Amino acid sequence: MKFDLRKMLNLKSSSERADARRERPQYKSIDTKSMTLVLKEGGLTAVQMETLQKIMKVISMVLIYAFLAVMAVIILLPFYWMIITSLKTNTEIRASQQTFWPEVVMWSNYVDVFDRFDFATYLVNTLVVGILSTIGTLFTTIFAAFAFARLQFKGKNFLFTLLLATMMIPGEMMVITNYITVANFGWLKDQTGVFAAMIVPFWISVFYIYLLRQNFLQIPNELYLASKVDGKTDWNYLWKVMVPLSMPTLISIFILKLMGAWNSFVWPNLVADKQEYRLITNGLRSSFSTTAGEPEYALQMAATVLVTVPLLLLFIFFRKYIMKGVGRAGIKG
Amino acid sequence: MKNQKSRFPSLLVVSLIGVLALVGCNPSGDSSSDTTSGSSYSEEPPINEYEGNLLEHEASITFWHTMGAANRAVLDQMITGFNAIYPNITITHASQGGYDALRDKVSAAIPAGTTPTMAYCYPDHVADYMSAGAIQNLNPYINSTIFGLGLEDDPTLAGPVSDFIPGYWQEGREYMTPGTYSVPFSKSTELMFYNKTFFDAHSLTVPTSWEQLIAVARQIKTIDPSSTPFGYDSDANWFITLCEQMGIPYTSLNADEHFLFNNDQAKDMVEMIKGWYDEGLITTQGSSPNNAYTSTQFTEGKLYMTVGSTGGTRYNFSTNFEVGVAAVPQYQGSTKIISQGPSITVFKRATDAEKIAAWLFYKWISNTRNSAVYSVLSGYNPVRSSSFETDVYTTNRVVTPGTESELIADVAAFVPAIEDWYFVSPAFKGSSTAREEVGGILANVLLGLKSIDDAFYDALVACVFSSEE
């Protein structure tokens, strides 16, 4: 039996290879411009994927904006209700079916409110209490934050923990104790005393001390050491370096504290036992009632609108500082 | 290692502050010294010192109330009149907001020792203040032979106790300790307002009993099937009033069993009301959509009869139909309607001279004329029978036909006829919770949110907890 190894290995002979070379097709130049490259992933072409991405983007934007719109409505509804209530008649306010727009628009409520509400007194009282308590808070906050951030003394961390621990106690728990304290100081007898009672207990804010301390900790040690080389005292370093560098945080503390004083209700309501000592929030609650003692919501809401507007403007114009200051304080440290 | 070390002082600090906070919750030494036994309430005022020389002792008193601007102006006029007689007494008064705000402020002022001399009050508030030993028993003042009631030659200046509406006066005596701890100033009750135009057009009889009311309601239902014929504005008042009319135990002054309302009779009563509700004959504020006042639904023409406070008479006025006034329907010939509205209490911490000055001032503002003046102003009822006869209350009243002043005048004219009908519930720590809870029973059962047994049980539990706090 003869074995043809060439056949078994399926090898071509030299003549066959020559024939194959002769039969090789001659390639022509191809016009690549008419060619289309189709890439597919997951069964979709690039164009389809692009369309899909666009659709998904639109859907997600719709969902995000729908969510934001719903949230905005939830947040704005009380304000809207305040405004429309301020323009309604008392009969409409008491109606069993509430309306989303006044049947009769009572612009006169905004005129009547000035006869019934002593804006000037309440505004002056609120500003005096707000500004004095804010300035006092800024001083105590700056000194305390400096001590906790920069100075080295025994028991520093213990004291700071002690201060932070007080944040765990709700402010309401302190109301009666504080009231007894200011009463024993004899502060509830005259206007100066009542104002002191509304200002002094709020000069210390642990939260703001914490906020500013974190801010101070971010200031590099090198600046402190450099100022020491220059012969500056801690006092000079605090006011010439730390305070200017922390100005955004201090501004936001100033604004937040002022807003807090503007909005405060429970404590001023407790200590101010005469109409002329009241702050604006307490005035709003106690100035509008019928001779039978029923609240007059329309006038109350009209006055509330007038009182809310300044605060809203304050936030709109200074929101940059508020957000910047809070952002800068960071959580690091 | 460092972390472990730093945790220990932190925990220590938190524990320390916790302990300090709890210590802070305890009443101060001042308040504990005030918590005296019941016997000290009968302290005699130093009458002898004041005999014949009430005008010589200087006194400054403070009066806390909830009056709005118009009411305060009238009070100022009364003070001017008072100072013409007693120039030695200086009166400072201030509104402290609503009744709840006033109670909160007085509650804070008691431990701090800064209570006013006198204040507006509701019996529930007084019961709370009394538990801190802060309220003066007024019996020695009322019965004093120097400055008591009924001593003046002119009875309109401070007539005897018998001139006060009995139910109103009794309210000040319904406390755990014998004595008079609050005195009436501006009171109200409940009346039934009905659509007179509709009643006249259909020749309907104004009901005087619950039986008649349901019969009339069924008639109305046939005339106007879409209506709910009757509404009661206060769920709690309906429950309490019916208990009183039907002789069903509600609450008692007995400290061992304050809350008596969880009984079979009361449950049957609620079941009866639920039957009327399911039949579409009645509604209450608590069972109405949006908690709408039944007075509002009445003026909107959805109801034909409603029971509401005389203090809120104006809310029952409508320009669409004539409104009639009638007594709250009764049960089998009973004559009981609830008494509401603020009274005045005097605080024990005040000096003797201040307490006497406060008492003299109360006598002045509650005299025949001033009680009538305040009644006409506020729409509340005078506290003295003689006030109903004054020209201020009757002929000099400014009434404009076709306005709410006309309805208020109708109520004013009607009220004297029922002056003996008033009742008050006992006041004790937890009595205000009982009131809220029985109102809740009615609303929950009518709306089908709870079974009758569950509603009563839940209410009782809430009451017991509130009295033990």
Side-chain angles (χ1 to χ4, degrees), chain A residues 94-97 158 161-162 165-166 169 173 176-177 179-180 183-184 188 269-270 272-275 278 286 289-292 294, chain B residues 9-10 13 17 24 64 68 70-71 92 94-96 105 108-109 112 114 290 292-293 295-296 300 302 311 314-315 377-378 380:
Chain A
R94 282 176 66 94
S96 55
Q97 293 297 325
F158 176 79
T161 316
L162 187 76
T166 61
I169 302 170
M173 271 187 72
I176 298 292
T177 324
Y179 186 83
I180 293 169
N184 286 341
L188 301 180
N269 188 44
L270 196 64
D273 59 2
K274 289 201 176 80
Q275 204 76 17
R278 298 246 160 88
S286 62
S289 59
T290 63
T291 50
E294 297 274 341
Chain B
S10 308
V13 168
I17 288 175
W64 284 3
N71 306 47
T92 312
S95 167
Q96 304 299 327
K105 292 178 95 162
T114 56
N290 300 328
Y293 292 105
S295 55
T296 305
E300 289 171 345
K302 295 173 181 169
R314 69 191 67 219
Y315 297 119
L377 169 80
S378 63
Y380 277 61

Side-chain angles (χ1 to χ4, degrees), chain B residues 190 232 237-245 336 338 423:
Chain B
E190 287 185 322
Y232 207 114
N237 280 3
W238 198 7
F239 187 105
I240 297 166
T241 303
L242 271 176
C243 281
E244 188 73 21
Q245 290 179 357
K336 301 281 185 188
I338 205 159
F423 74 89

Side-chain angles (χ1 to χ4, degrees), chain B residues 44-102:
Chain B
E44 285 292 325
I47 291 167
N48 295 336
E49 283 181 36
Y50 289 84
E51 193 165 5
N53 59 4
L54 285 173
L55 295 172
E56 289 174 14
H57 289 264
E58 295 286 333
S60 289
I61 63 170
T62 313
F63 176 28
W64 284 3
H65 51 69
T66 62
M67 294 180 193
N71 306 47
R72 290 200 297 271
V74 170
L75 185 68
D76 282 332
Q77 289 170 13
M78 291 183 192
I79 291 172
T80 307
F82 179 72
N83 283 146
I85 306 169
Y86 297 107
N88 54 323
I89 296 174
T90 309
I91 293 157
T92 312
H93 68 97
S95 167
Q96 304 299 327
Y99 291 110
D100 287 345
L102 173 65

Side-chain angles (χ1 to χ4, degrees), chain B residues 284-302:
Chain B
T284 61
Q285 191 198 356
S287 59
S288 293
N290 300 328
N291 267 352
Y293 292 105
T294 61
S295 55
T296 305
Q297 298 176 58
F298 172 71
T299 56
E300 289 171 345
K302 295 173 181 169

Side-chain angles (χ1 to χ4, degrees), chain B residues 363-391:
Chain B
K363 273 188 3 179
W364 177 253
I365 60 176
S366 66
N367 72 25
T368 301
R369 188 175 186 282
N370 282 335
S371 189
V373 166
Y374 200 80
S375 158
V376 170
L377 169 80
S378 63
Y380 277 61
N381 304 343
V383 294
R384 286 178 174 277
S385 300
S386 54
S387 301
F388 292 122
E389 312 298 329
T390 57
D391 54 355

